[in-house]
Amino acid sequence: MAERRLTLDTDARVMAWIGPGGVPKVADLDETPPRVHEADGPEGARSVVPGGTAGEFLVVGDGTVVPLRWTAGGVGSGDAIPLPDGAREVGAAGGLIAACTGDALLTYDGRWRERAALPAEPVCMAWQHRRRSLLVLTRDGSFTRFADEAQAARDDAWADPATAVYDEVLGALWLAHPGGDARTLMVRVEPWPPRTIYQAGLGAGVRGLTVAQNGEWLAVRYGGDRPIELYNVSGRRLFRPPPTAGSAGNSGNAASGVAFTYDNRLVTVTEDDRVSFARLPARVDVRTAPAGGEAAANEFFEHGGDLDIETFWEGQMYKASKPRRRPSPAAAGGSR
């Protein structure tokens, strides 16, 4: 079965994906347990991407895109918008819809307008919220950024990645195995021009990446039957995802989708559209996880990690809530 590709809204509180038969599904992650709602989408719906504001998504079908809007009353669909011929990437750009063809970046404001020429096929398009600009990585290793005008930068080391994903927190793109290189690179695009600042050893066969809201974690999807794994950026370590309620046998399965919520939880949706959560370790717990290879790391997550995490956070909360009082003059050796 194909893997669920999960998408969060701009607040990381509402999640959407494409269910069986091309039906868009939406869940409010602040509900416990989350209820899954079906929505109307375009014919042949194949992917869903974040919209421009909280609770909004764009469902991409065969030649059209349909806006979805989540509210407390449920989910509603907007009118279908025809995509430009040859559209490869679709996303939100502030209050507009953006698309990339094989050679151009366009935005939609009632009609499609070309904003910048692209030197090669697009690999990844992202809206940079802080910069209010569109960013496109193309197959030849070029970055094109468009706000009021287009800027471009290129490096052969960034060409032909297996996959790429944008990290808004760090202002960077993760590129998996560009040019067949065994490494995964983080390319910082803020400030401009782009530059490689980090290399991760994720192994061969990376086919997809999902980045956490705080920039601390990557969910790594591999080819074949290899399970999804989690990579901690600061600890430089790979872990198997922890079992989660309702999906203990499937949380690392290739048919399960994963995403990261705003409050540092891993959310999973399995083949039967069941949504469940697991708390991710704090940085201190990753540093103290047992060394000794994959088996030891998995032992930490599956049997010791949760208890250690809760103990750590309870200690922090106790310290923060314990009142501090000034000593009385008598206790300080003074007089009234």
Side-chain angles (χ1 to χ4, degrees):
M1 184 172 186
E3 178 209 336
R4 298 281 194 269
R5 295 295 179 91
L6 309 182
T7 298
L8 298 175
D9 71 341
T10 56
D11 282 354
R13 294 174 179 269
V14 183
M15 183 173 67
W17 66 97
I18 303 299
V23 178
K25 303 289 184 80
V26 181
D28 184 349
L29 301 182
D30 279 342
E31 290 185 330
T32 305
R35 291 174 297 166
V36 177
H37 302 259
E38 293 188 356
D40 295 327
E43 185 174 346
R46 63 179 187 271
S47 64
V48 57
V49 297
T53 61
E56 291 185 352
F57 299 94
L58 300 172
V59 183
V60 182
D62 294 331
T64 59
V65 58
V66 171
L68 294 185
R69 174 69 179 169
W70 171 263
T71 66
V75 59
S77 302
D79 295 332
I81 298 169
L83 289 171
D85 292 340
R88 311 287 181 86
E89 298 283 333
V90 180
L96 304 176
I97 296 175
C100 290
T101 65
D103 57 8
L105 170 64
L106 306 95
T107 60
Y108 182 83
D109 58 2
R111 70 183 183 91
W112 289 102
R113 303 173 187 270
E114 183 172 331
R115 300 298 187 180
L118 298 178
E121 175 189 4
V123 175
C124 178
M125 179 181 69
W127 172 247
Q128 296 181 276
H129 291 270
R130 288 191 298 269
R131 300 290 182 178
R132 306 295 297 174
S133 61
L134 279 161
L135 182 72
V136 182
L137 170 68
T138 48
R139 184 66 61 188
D140 66 337
S142 294
F143 283 95
T144 299
R145 188 169 73 173
F146 177 81
D148 296 327
E149 59 183 20
Q151 296 176 291
R154 182 180 178 277
D155 192 317
D156 288 340
W158 307 329
D160 200 30
T163 188
V165 64
Y166 178 65
D167 183 341
E168 173 71 21
V169 170
L170 299 179
L173 258 80
W174 287 94
L175 314 181
H177 305 315
D181 193 314
R183 297 164 298 176
T184 295
L185 307 180
M186 177 196 282
V187 181
R188 187 81 183 269
V189 294
E190 295 182 17
W192 194 265
R195 64 201 186 282
T196 300
I197 63 168
Y198 185 99
Q199 299 177 3
L202 302 183
V206 176
R207 294 293 178 267
L209 297 170
T210 302
V211 65
Q213 303 300 311
N214 60 6
E216 284 266 344
W217 294 89
L218 291 171
V220 187
R221 300 186 295 274
Y222 294 92
D225 295 330
R226 183 173 175 178
I228 293 171
E229 296 192 33
L230 300 180
Y231 179 77
N232 183 264
V233 177
S234 61
R236 292 180 175 268
R237 304 180 72 171
L238 274 168
F239 298 93
R240 185 184 305 161
T244 53
S247 60
N250 298 308
S251 62
N253 191 289
S256 303
V258 296
F260 299 94
T261 65
Y262 69 96
D263 55 352
N264 203 35
R265 291 180 295 169
L266 179 74
V267 58
T268 303
V269 175
T270 56
E271 298 98 318
D272 56 355
D273 287 327
R274 297 185 68 182
V275 181
S276 54
F277 302 93
R279 177 69 62 181
L280 289 168
R283 189 177 302 179
V284 64
D285 297 300
V286 173
R287 287 200 305 266
T288 58
E294 181 180 355
N298 293 337
E299 181 75 12
F300 166 75
F301 245 136
E302 294 174 7
H303 301 291
D306 288 340
L307 178 61
D308 290 347
I309 296 161
E310 292 303 320
T311 302
F312 170 76
W313 281 113
E314 284 176 8
Q316 296 301 305
M317 292 168 65
Y318 172 77
K319 291 177 185 177
S321 61
K322 188 175 181 180
R324 287 184 170 184
R325 296 180 179 177
R326 287 184 177 181
S328 67
S335 58
R336 292 182 181 271

